[in-house]
Amino acid sequence: MNNYGSRRLSLLLVLLITLSACGTAGEISSSGGVSQDAEAPTQDKRYTITWTMHLNEAVPGNAEMLHYIEEKFNVDLEIWNLENNNYEALLDLKLAQGEIPDLFRIRQSYDLLKYRNQNVLAEIPDGMLEAYAPNLTRSIMIHAPGYMDYGRIEGRQYGIPVVNQTNRYRVPVVYREDWLDRLGLQPPATLEELEKVMYAFTNGDPDGNGKHDTYGLSIEGMNVVFGAFGQMVFTEQLYFAEKGSGLVIGALEPEMKKALRYLQKWYRDGVIDPEFVTGENKGGYKHLSHAFINGRIGMTSMGNYYHWVQAGDYKVYNEKGAEVPVEASFNAMELFKKNDQARIVFGKPVTGPEGKSGSKAYDRLMSFTAIGANAADEPGKMAKILEILDYVSANPDLEERMTMRYGVKGKHWEWAGQSEDDVVTLPPYDKQVNYTNRIGANIGMLVPGMPDARREQWASTLGLDEHGIYNALKVSVPSLIQNSPRLIKLRNKAYISIITGDKPIGYFDVFVKEFMRAGGEEVLEEANEWYRSIPEA
C-alpha cells in the first residue's frame, strides 16, 4: 500500500526533527502576514535580475520575449545559459566563483537542503508568496495540497515546489515492434517471456541485415528487470521503498541477487549491449536513447512517454485549425530518420516470479524554484522577482499565459480553430525544435492545475498511470547530501561488476556491508526517522 501521499501535510514537522541548522536569512513574521523583510519593489528602480531556467538551447541576449518582459516590468534580465544536460556542474562552478543567480532553479529536489546549507538561498518571508505570486501560490495550494511544505526547512520557506502533474505516468517500456513482427513475437508480459524476446533480438537477426550486430537491451532496460522484483536500481538518486514499518534502499534488497543472476547470464550470453556501462545516450538531448535509435538494442525504458510519440498516435490541430495526426517526437522521430520502416510499441513492465512489476517513475515534486541569497540584500528585488515569476508561470489571463509560454500570438502561435483550449505553432517555428529558447519564451516554472492536453489523454489510454515505482523518500536528509555521491558510485560499481561477471553473485553481500559502512547506515537511519515520525492518516 502506497501511503506516503497521506503523509505530506506532516512533512514540516519531520524536517524540524531531521535537519540541522545552518544559518538563517531573517526573522519570520508571527502575525501570518508579510514580514518586514518582504519589501515592495522600489518605484522607478530598474533591477538587474539573473535568471536560471530549463534550457535545451541557449537564450540570446536580444531575445524578443525577454525584451517584452523587461519593458513590462522595467528590469534587465540576464539568462544564465546553463545547458540542462550539465546543469548542476555548471551551476556549482558559478557558485564556486561567488556568483549566485537571483532566480535559482534547483533541478533536483534533493538539492534544496544542500544549497540552503551552502548559504546561497534566501529565505522567502511568510506571506510574501501570497502577496507577490498569488496565482502561482493558489495553483499549488489547490492542485497540490501539502507540497508547499516540501520547500520549508526548519519552518522557513526556501523553495517553491515545481509540481509536474504528468509524473503520474511512469517511464514506458519500449520495444521495436518491427523486430517483434519479424520474429513472430509479442511484447512480453513475464520475465521469462522477456528473456525469450531478448535472446531473439540478439540471435535472430531482427533487422534482417545478415549480421550479428543487435542486442536485447542496455542499462535503462535493466530497470524493468529490477522492477520485476519490486525495486529500482540505476537511478540518479538512491531509490527507497516501503517495507514493513519502515524504508529500505531498493538496491540493497536481497531479491536483487535474483535479478542480477538474470542479467549476469544475459551478459555472458551476449544479450546485453557490451557498451551498456557508458549508457544509452551518447550526447545531446539527455532523454535520447542512441543505442535504440541506431538499432543496437530492441528494448529500452529511457525517457518519458512524450519522448516516444509516433506519427499518428493522436490528433492535434494544424495552423489552419484542422485536426491532423501528430508528428513523431524525440526518440521516435530520430529513429524514423534512421529507418523509416522502424516501428515501436509500448509493453507493460514484465511480471517477476512473485508477481511484482514496475518501471521507473518520478514524483510529482519535480524540482524547486528559489531566490538567490544576494537578491534579498537589495530592497524590493525579491518582490519584483516573484511578481515576474507569477506573471510568466501562472498568468490568470489565458491569452497572456500562452504568450508567456509560446511567444507572440499571430507570429509564433494561434488558437486552434474556434476554440481556446489548444494552440498551434505557426510556420516556420513549427519545424524548429526549441524555438521557445531562441525567442526567450517559457522562462517560468511549471505549475499544477493545467488541463490535460491531448498528449496526456493519449498517455492515459496506455496504462502508464499504473505499475510505477516511485522513490518513497520525498525529502533529503543531511547524511544523504554528504554520502549520496559516494554511495551511488559504490552501487553502480558493484552492480556493473556482478553483471559483467567480474564479481560473483555472492559479492552482493560484500557490497551491502561496504555500502552500509560508507554512510549507508546513517542515511537509512535518518530516512527511517523521517518516515516513522510522520503519523498515519
Side-chain angles (χ1 to χ4, degrees), residues 161-230:
V162 179
V163 182
N164 186 351
Q165 294 194 132
T166 66
N167 280 356
R168 66 179 179 268
Y169 304 118
R170 59 170 171 79
V171 171
V173 183
V174 185
Y175 297 91
R176 281 288 296 268
E177 186 177 31
D178 53 320
W179 288 15
L180 289 169
D181 290 345
R182 181 185 292 270
L183 297 167
L185 298 169
Q186 296 293 322
T190 67
L191 187 56
E192 288 72 18
E193 291 175 1
L194 176 65
E195 183 173 61
K196 179 181 177 181
V197 169
M198 294 300 95
Y199 276 78
F201 280 176
T202 302
N203 301 319
D205 190 24
D207 57 2
N209 67 356
K211 300 177 182 179
H212 189 76
D213 58 357
T214 58
Y215 304 93
L217 74 164
S218 186
I219 193 165
E220 296 294 335
M222 292 179 187
N223 273 332
V224 178
V225 179
F226 298 130
F229 295 90

Coordinates of all heavy atoms in Angstrom, one line a residue, residues 161-230:
P161 N 7.8 24.8 -4.7 CA 7.8 23.4 -5.4 C 7.3 23.5 -6.8 O 6.4 24.2 -7.1 CB 6.8 22.6 -4.5 CG 6.0 23.7 -3.9 CD 6.8 24.9 -3.7
V162 N 8.1 22.8 -7.7 CA 7.7 22.7 -9.1 C 7.0 21.3 -9.2 O 7.6 20.3 -9.1 CB 8.9 22.8 -10.0 CG1 8.5 22.6 -11.5 CG2 9.6 24.1 -9.9
V163 N 5.7 21.4 -9.4 CA 4.9 20.2 -9.4 C 4.5 19.8 -10.8 O 3.8 20.6 -11.5 CB 3.6 20.4 -8.5 CG1 2.8 19.1 -8.4 CG2 4.0 20.8 -7.1
N164 N 4.9 18.6 -11.2 CA 4.6 18.1 -12.5 C 3.5 17.1 -12.5 O 3.7 15.9 -12.1 CB 5.9 17.5 -13.1 CG 5.7 17.1 -14.6 OD1 4.6 17.1 -15.1 ND2 6.8 16.8 -15.2
Q165 N 2.3 17.4 -12.9 CA 1.2 16.5 -12.9 C 1.4 15.3 -13.8 O 0.8 14.2 -13.6 CB -0.1 17.2 -13.3 CG -0.5 18.3 -12.3 CD -1.9 18.8 -12.4 OE1 -2.7 18.8 -11.5 NE2 -2.3 19.1 -13.7
T166 N 2.2 15.5 -14.9 CA 2.4 14.4 -15.8 C 3.2 13.3 -15.2 O 3.3 12.2 -15.8 CB 3.0 14.9 -17.1 OG1 4.3 15.3 -16.9 CG2 2.2 16.0 -17.8
N167 N 3.8 13.5 -14.1 CA 4.6 12.4 -13.5 C 3.8 11.4 -12.8 O 4.3 10.4 -12.3 CB 5.6 13.0 -12.4 CG 6.8 13.6 -13.0 OD1 7.0 13.5 -14.3 ND2 7.7 14.2 -12.2
R168 N 2.5 11.5 -12.9 CA 1.6 10.4 -12.6 C 1.8 9.2 -13.6 O 1.4 8.1 -13.3 CB 0.2 10.8 -12.4 CG -0.5 11.2 -13.7 CD -2.0 11.5 -13.4 NE -2.7 11.9 -14.6 CZ -2.8 13.2 -15.0 NH1 -2.2 14.1 -14.3 NH2 -3.6 13.5 -16.0
Y169 N 2.4 9.5 -14.7 CA 2.7 8.5 -15.7 C 4.1 8.0 -15.5 O 5.1 8.8 -15.5 CB 2.5 9.0 -17.1 CG 1.1 9.6 -17.3 CD1 0.9 10.9 -17.7 CD2 0.0 8.8 -17.2 CE1 -0.3 11.5 -17.9 CE2 -1.3 9.3 -17.4 CZ -1.4 10.6 -17.8 OH -2.7 11.2 -18.0
R170 N 4.3 6.7 -15.4 CA 5.6 6.1 -15.3 C 6.4 6.2 -16.6 O 5.8 6.5 -17.7 CB 5.5 4.7 -14.8 CG 4.7 3.8 -15.8 CD 4.8 2.3 -15.4 NE 3.9 1.6 -16.2 CZ 4.0 1.2 -17.5 NH1 5.1 1.6 -18.1 NH2 3.1 0.5 -18.1
V171 N 7.7 5.8 -16.6 CA 8.5 5.7 -17.7 C 8.0 4.5 -18.5 O 7.8 3.4 -18.0 CB 10.0 5.6 -17.4 CG1 10.8 5.2 -18.6 CG2 10.5 6.9 -16.7
P172 N 7.9 4.6 -19.9 CA 7.3 3.5 -20.6 C 8.4 2.4 -20.9 O 9.6 2.6 -20.7 CB 6.9 4.1 -22.0 CG 7.9 5.3 -22.1 CD 8.1 5.8 -20.7
V173 N 7.9 1.2 -21.2 CA 8.8 0.1 -21.7 C 8.6 0.0 -23.2 O 7.4 -0.2 -23.6 CB 8.4 -1.2 -21.0 CG1 9.4 -2.3 -21.4 CG2 8.4 -1.0 -19.5
V174 N 9.6 0.2 -23.9 CA 9.5 0.4 -25.4 C 10.2 -0.7 -26.1 O 11.4 -1.1 -25.8 CB 10.1 1.8 -25.8 CG1 9.9 2.0 -27.3 CG2 9.5 2.9 -25.0
Y175 N 9.6 -1.3 -27.2 CA 10.2 -2.3 -28.0 C 10.1 -1.9 -29.5 O 9.3 -1.1 -29.9 CB 9.4 -3.6 -27.8 CG 9.4 -4.2 -26.5 CD1 8.4 -3.9 -25.5 CD2 10.4 -5.1 -26.1 CE1 8.4 -4.4 -24.3 CE2 10.4 -5.7 -24.8 CZ 9.4 -5.3 -23.9 OH 9.4 -5.8 -22.6
R176 N 11.0 -2.5 -30.2 CA 11.0 -2.4 -31.7 C 9.9 -3.3 -32.2 O 10.1 -4.5 -32.2 CB 12.3 -2.7 -32.3 CG 13.4 -1.6 -32.2 CD 13.1 -0.5 -33.2 NE 13.1 -0.9 -34.6 CZ 14.2 -0.9 -35.4 NH1 15.4 -0.4 -34.9 NH2 14.2 -1.3 -36.6
E177 N 8.8 -2.7 -32.6 CA 7.6 -3.5 -33.0 C 7.9 -4.3 -34.3 O 7.5 -5.4 -34.5 CB 6.4 -2.7 -33.2 CG 5.1 -3.4 -33.5 CD 3.9 -2.5 -33.6 OE1 4.1 -1.4 -34.0 OE2 2.8 -3.0 -33.3
D178 N 8.7 -3.6 -35.2 CA 9.0 -4.3 -36.4 C 9.9 -5.5 -36.2 O 9.9 -6.5 -36.9 CB 9.7 -3.3 -37.4 CG 10.9 -2.6 -36.8 OD1 10.8 -2.1 -35.7 OD2 11.9 -2.4 -37.5
W179 N 10.8 -5.5 -35.2 CA 11.6 -6.6 -34.8 C 10.8 -7.7 -34.3 O 10.9 -8.9 -34.6 CB 12.7 -6.2 -33.8 CG 13.8 -5.4 -34.3 CD1 13.9 -4.7 -35.5 CD2 15.0 -5.1 -33.7 NE1 15.0 -4.0 -35.6 CE2 15.8 -4.3 -34.5 CE3 15.6 -5.5 -32.4 CZ2 17.1 -3.8 -34.2 CZ3 16.9 -5.0 -32.1 CH2 17.6 -4.2 -32.9
L180 N 9.8 -7.4 -33.4 CA 8.9 -8.4 -32.9 C 8.1 -9.1 -34.0 O 8.0 -10.3 -34.0 CB 8.0 -7.8 -31.9 CG 8.5 -7.3 -30.5 CD1 7.5 -6.5 -29.8 CD2 9.0 -8.5 -29.7
D181 N 7.6 -8.3 -34.9 CA 6.8 -8.8 -36.0 C 7.7 -9.8 -36.9 O 7.2 -10.9 -37.3 CB 6.3 -7.7 -36.9 CG 5.2 -6.9 -36.1 OD1 4.7 -7.4 -35.1 OD2 4.8 -5.8 -36.6
R182 N 8.9 -9.4 -37.2 CA 9.8 -10.2 -38.0 C 10.1 -11.5 -37.3 O 10.2 -12.6 -38.0 CB 11.1 -9.4 -38.3 CG 12.1 -10.2 -39.1 CD 13.4 -9.5 -39.2 NE 13.3 -8.2 -40.0 CZ 13.4 -8.1 -41.3 NH1 13.7 -9.2 -42.0 NH2 13.3 -7.0 -41.9
L183 N 10.1 -11.5 -36.0 CA 10.5 -12.7 -35.3 C 9.2 -13.5 -34.8 O 9.3 -14.6 -34.1 CB 11.3 -12.4 -34.0 CG 12.7 -11.8 -34.4 CD1 13.3 -11.2 -33.1 CD2 13.6 -12.8 -35.0
G184 N 8.0 -13.0 -35.1 CA 6.8 -13.6 -34.7 C 6.5 -13.6 -33.2 O 6.0 -14.6 -32.7
L185 N 6.9 -12.5 -32.6 CA 6.8 -12.4 -31.1 C 5.8 -11.3 -30.7 O 5.6 -10.4 -31.5 CB 8.2 -12.2 -30.5 CG 9.2 -13.3 -30.7 CD1 10.6 -12.8 -30.3 CD2 8.8 -14.5 -29.9
Q186 N 5.4 -11.3 -29.5 CA 4.5 -10.3 -28.9 C 5.3 -9.6 -27.8 O 6.3 -10.1 -27.3 CB 3.3 -10.9 -28.4 CG 2.3 -11.5 -29.4 CD 1.8 -10.5 -30.4 OE1 1.4 -9.4 -29.9 NE2 1.7 -10.8 -31.6
P187 N 4.9 -8.3 -27.4 CA 5.6 -7.7 -26.3 C 5.4 -8.6 -25.1 O 4.3 -9.1 -24.8 CB 4.8 -6.4 -26.1 CG 4.3 -6.1 -27.5 CD 4.0 -7.4 -28.1
P188 N 6.5 -8.9 -24.3 CA 6.4 -9.9 -23.3 C 5.6 -9.4 -22.1 O 5.6 -8.2 -21.8 CB 7.9 -10.1 -22.9 CG 8.5 -8.8 -23.3 CD 7.8 -8.4 -24.5
A189 N 5.0 -10.3 -21.3 CA 4.3 -10.0 -20.1 C 5.0 -10.4 -18.9 O 4.7 -9.9 -17.8 CB 2.9 -10.6 -20.2
T190 N 5.8 -11.5 -19.0 CA 6.5 -12.0 -17.8 C 8.0 -11.9 -18.0 O 8.5 -11.7 -19.2 CB 6.1 -13.5 -17.6 OG1 6.7 -14.3 -18.7 CG2 4.6 -13.6 -17.5
L191 N 8.8 -12.1 -17.0 CA 10.2 -12.1 -17.1 C 10.8 -13.2 -18.0 O 11.7 -13.0 -18.7 CB 10.8 -12.2 -15.6 CG 12.4 -12.0 -15.5 CD1 12.8 -10.6 -16.1 CD2 12.8 -12.1 -14.0
E192 N 10.1 -14.3 -17.9 CA 10.6 -15.4 -18.8 C 10.3 -15.1 -20.2 O 11.1 -15.4 -21.1 CB 9.8 -16.7 -18.4 CG 10.2 -17.3 -17.1 CD 9.7 -16.5 -15.8 OE1 8.8 -15.7 -16.0 OE2 10.3 -16.7 -14.7
E193 N 9.2 -14.5 -20.5 CA 8.9 -14.1 -21.9 C 9.9 -13.0 -22.3 O 10.3 -12.9 -23.5 CB 7.5 -13.6 -22.0 CG 6.4 -14.7 -21.9 CD 5.0 -14.1 -21.9 OE1 4.8 -12.9 -22.0 OE2 4.1 -14.9 -21.7
L194 N 10.2 -12.1 -21.4 CA 11.2 -11.0 -21.8 C 12.5 -11.7 -22.1 O 13.2 -11.3 -23.1 CB 11.4 -10.1 -20.6 CG 12.5 -9.0 -20.8 CD1 12.1 -8.0 -21.9 CD2 12.7 -8.2 -19.5
E195 N 12.9 -12.7 -21.4 CA 14.2 -13.4 -21.7 C 14.2 -14.0 -23.1 O 15.1 -13.8 -23.9 CB 14.5 -14.5 -20.7 CG 15.8 -15.2 -20.8 CD 16.1 -16.1 -19.7 OE1 15.3 -17.1 -19.5 OE2 17.1 -15.9 -19.0
K196 N 13.1 -14.6 -23.4 CA 12.9 -15.2 -24.8 C 13.1 -14.1 -25.9 O 13.8 -14.3 -26.9 CB 11.6 -15.9 -24.9 CG 11.3 -16.5 -26.3 CD 9.9 -17.1 -26.3 CE 9.6 -17.7 -27.7 NZ 8.3 -18.3 -27.7
V197 N 12.4 -12.9 -25.6 CA 12.5 -11.8 -26.6 C 13.9 -11.3 -26.7 O 14.4 -11.0 -27.8 CB 11.5 -10.7 -26.3 CG1 11.7 -9.5 -27.1 CG2 10.0 -11.3 -26.4
M198 N 14.6 -11.1 -25.6 CA 15.9 -10.5 -25.6 C 16.9 -11.4 -26.3 O 17.7 -11.0 -27.1 CB 16.4 -10.3 -24.1 CG 15.6 -9.3 -23.4 SD 15.6 -7.6 -24.1 CE 14.1 -7.6 -25.0
Y199 N 16.8 -12.7 -26.2 CA 17.6 -13.7 -26.9 C 17.3 -13.6 -28.4 O 18.2 -13.7 -29.2 CB 17.5 -15.1 -26.3 CG 18.4 -15.3 -25.1 CD1 18.1 -14.8 -23.9 CD2 19.6 -16.0 -25.2 CE1 18.9 -15.0 -22.8 CE2 20.5 -16.2 -24.1 CZ 20.1 -15.7 -22.9 OH 20.9 -15.9 -21.8
A200 N 16.0 -13.5 -28.7 CA 15.7 -13.5 -30.1 C 16.2 -12.2 -30.8 O 16.6 -12.2 -31.9 CB 14.1 -13.6 -30.3
F201 N 16.1 -11.1 -30.1 CA 16.6 -9.8 -30.6 C 18.1 -9.9 -30.9 O 18.7 -9.3 -31.8 CB 16.3 -8.7 -29.6 CG 14.9 -8.1 -29.7 CD1 14.5 -7.1 -28.8 CD2 14.0 -8.5 -30.6 CE1 13.3 -6.6 -28.8 CE2 12.7 -8.0 -30.7 CZ 12.4 -7.0 -29.7
T202 N 18.8 -10.7 -30.1 CA 20.3 -10.8 -30.2 C 20.6 -11.8 -31.3 O 21.6 -11.6 -32.1 CB 20.9 -11.3 -28.8 OG1 20.5 -10.3 -27.8 CG2 22.4 -11.4 -28.9
N203 N 19.9 -12.9 -31.3 CA 20.4 -14.0 -32.2 C 19.6 -14.3 -33.4 O 20.0 -15.0 -34.3 CB 20.4 -15.4 -31.4 CG 21.3 -15.3 -30.1 OD1 22.4 -14.7 -30.2 ND2 20.8 -15.8 -29.0
G204 N 18.4 -13.6 -33.5 CA 17.5 -13.9 -34.6 C 17.6 -12.9 -35.8 O 16.7 -12.9 -36.7
D205 N 18.6 -12.1 -35.9 CA 18.8 -11.1 -36.9 C 17.5 -10.3 -37.2 O 17.0 -10.3 -38.3 CB 19.2 -11.8 -38.2 CG 19.7 -10.8 -39.3 OD1 20.1 -9.7 -39.0 OD2 19.6 -11.2 -40.5
P206 N 17.0 -9.6 -36.2 CA 15.7 -8.9 -36.3 C 15.7 -7.8 -37.3 O 14.7 -7.4 -37.8 CB 15.5 -8.4 -34.9 CG 16.8 -8.2 -34.3 CD 17.6 -9.4 -34.8
D207 N 16.9 -7.2 -37.6 CA 17.0 -6.1 -38.6 C 17.2 -6.7 -40.0 O 17.2 -5.9 -41.0 CB 18.0 -5.1 -38.2 CG 19.4 -5.7 -38.1 OD1 19.6 -6.9 -38.3 OD2 20.4 -4.9 -37.8
G208 N 17.4 -8.0 -40.2 CA 17.4 -8.6 -41.5 C 18.7 -8.2 -42.3 O 18.7 -8.4 -43.5
N209 N 19.7 -7.8 -41.7 CA 20.9 -7.4 -42.5 C 22.0 -8.5 -42.6 O 23.0 -8.3 -43.1 CB 21.6 -6.1 -41.9 CG 22.2 -6.4 -40.5 OD1 22.1 -7.4 -39.9 ND2 22.8 -5.3 -40.0
G210 N 21.7 -9.7 -42.0 CA 22.6 -10.8 -42.1 C 23.8 -10.7 -41.2 O 24.7 -11.5 -41.3
K211 N 23.8 -9.7 -40.3 CA 24.9 -9.5 -39.4 C 24.5 -9.8 -37.9 O 23.4 -9.6 -37.6 CB 25.5 -8.1 -39.5 CG 26.0 -7.8 -40.9 CD 26.5 -6.3 -41.0 CE 26.9 -6.0 -42.4 NZ 27.4 -4.5 -42.5
H212 N 25.5 -10.2 -37.1 CA 25.2 -10.3 -35.7 C 25.6 -9.0 -35.0 O 26.7 -8.9 -34.4 CB 26.1 -11.5 -35.2 CG 25.7 -11.9 -33.8 ND1 24.6 -12.6 -33.4 CD2 26.3 -11.6 -32.6 CE1 24.5 -12.8 -32.1 NE2 25.6 -12.2 -31.6
D213 N 24.7 -8.0 -35.1 CA 25.0 -6.7 -34.6 C 23.9 -6.1 -33.8 O 23.8 -4.9 -33.7 CB 25.4 -5.8 -35.8 CG 24.3 -5.7 -36.8 OD1 23.2 -6.3 -36.6 OD2 24.4 -4.9 -37.8
T214 N 23.0 -6.9 -33.2 CA 21.9 -6.4 -32.4 C 22.0 -7.1 -31.0 O 22.5 -8.2 -30.9 CB 20.6 -6.7 -33.1 OG1 20.4 -8.1 -33.3 CG2 20.4 -6.0 -34.4
Y215 N 21.4 -6.4 -30.1 CA 21.3 -6.9 -28.7 C 19.9 -6.7 -28.2 O 19.1 -5.9 -28.7 CB 22.3 -6.1 -27.8 CG 23.8 -6.2 -28.3 CD1 24.3 -5.2 -29.2 CD2 24.6 -7.3 -28.0 CE1 25.6 -5.3 -29.7 CE2 25.9 -7.4 -28.5 CZ 26.4 -6.4 -29.3 OH 27.6 -6.5 -29.8
G216 N 19.7 -7.3 -27.1 CA 18.3 -7.2 -26.5 C 18.1 -5.9 -25.8 O 17.2 -5.1 -26.1
L217 N 19.0 -5.5 -24.9 CA 18.8 -4.3 -24.1 C 20.1 -3.7 -23.6 O 21.2 -4.3 -23.8 CB 17.9 -4.7 -22.9 CG 18.6 -5.5 -21.7 CD1 17.7 -5.4 -20.4 CD2 18.8 -6.9 -22.1
S218 N 20.0 -2.6 -23.0 CA 21.2 -1.9 -22.4 C 20.8 -1.5 -21.0 O 19.9 -2.1 -20.4 CB 21.6 -0.7 -23.2 OG 22.8 -0.1 -22.7
I219 N 21.4 -0.5 -20.4 CA 21.3 -0.2 -19.0 C 19.9 0.2 -18.6 O 19.4 -0.1 -17.5 CB 22.4 0.8 -18.5 CG1 22.5 0.9 -17.0 CG2 22.1 2.2 -19.2 CD1 23.7 1.6 -16.5
E220 N 19.2 1.0 -19.4 CA 17.9 1.5 -19.0 C 16.9 0.4 -18.9 O 16.0 0.4 -18.1 CB 17.4 2.6 -19.9 CG 18.3 3.9 -19.8 CD 18.3 4.6 -18.5 OE1 17.3 4.5 -17.8 OE2 19.2 5.3 -18.2
G221 N 17.0 -0.6 -19.8 CA 16.1 -1.7 -19.8 C 16.3 -2.6 -18.6 O 15.4 -3.3 -18.2
M222 N 17.5 -2.5 -18.0 CA 17.7 -3.3 -16.8 C 16.8 -3.0 -15.6 O 16.4 -3.8 -14.8 CB 19.2 -3.2 -16.3 CG 20.2 -3.8 -17.3 SD 21.9 -3.6 -16.7 CE 22.8 -4.1 -18.1
N223 N 16.3 -1.7 -15.6 CA 15.4 -1.3 -14.5 C 14.1 -2.1 -14.6 O 13.5 -2.2 -13.6 CB 15.2 0.2 -14.5 CG 16.3 1.0 -13.8 OD1 16.8 0.4 -12.8 ND2 16.5 2.2 -14.2
V224 N 13.7 -2.5 -15.8 CA 12.5 -3.3 -15.9 C 12.7 -4.7 -15.3 O 11.8 -5.3 -14.7 CB 12.0 -3.4 -17.4 CG1 10.8 -4.3 -17.5 CG2 11.8 -2.0 -17.9
V225 N 13.9 -5.2 -15.4 CA 14.2 -6.5 -14.7 C 14.2 -6.3 -13.2 O 13.7 -7.1 -12.5 CB 15.6 -7.0 -15.2 CG1 16.0 -8.3 -14.5 CG2 15.6 -7.2 -16.7
F226 N 14.9 -5.2 -12.7 CA 14.8 -5.0 -11.3 C 13.4 -4.7 -10.8 O 13.0 -5.1 -9.7 CB 15.7 -3.7 -11.0 CG 17.1 -3.9 -11.3 CD1 17.8 -2.9 -12.0 CD2 17.8 -5.0 -10.9 CE1 19.2 -3.1 -12.3 CE2 19.2 -5.2 -11.2 CZ 19.8 -4.2 -11.9
G227 N 12.6 -4.1 -11.7 CA 11.2 -3.8 -11.3 C 10.4 -5.1 -11.2 O 9.4 -5.1 -10.5
A228 N 10.8 -6.1 -11.9 CA 10.1 -7.4 -11.8 C 10.3 -8.0 -10.4 O 9.7 -9.0 -10.0 CB 10.6 -8.4 -12.9
F229 N 11.3 -7.5 -9.6 CA 11.5 -7.9 -8.2 C 11.2 -6.7 -7.3 O 11.5 -6.7 -6.1 CB 12.9 -8.3 -8.1 CG 13.3 -9.6 -8.9 CD1 13.7 -9.5 -10.2 CD2 13.0 -10.8 -8.3 CE1 14.0 -10.6 -10.9 CE2 13.3 -12.0 -9.0 CZ 13.8 -11.9 -10.3
G230 N 10.5 -5.7 -7.8 CA 9.9 -4.7 -6.9 C 10.8 -3.5 -6.6 O 10.4 -2.6 -5.8

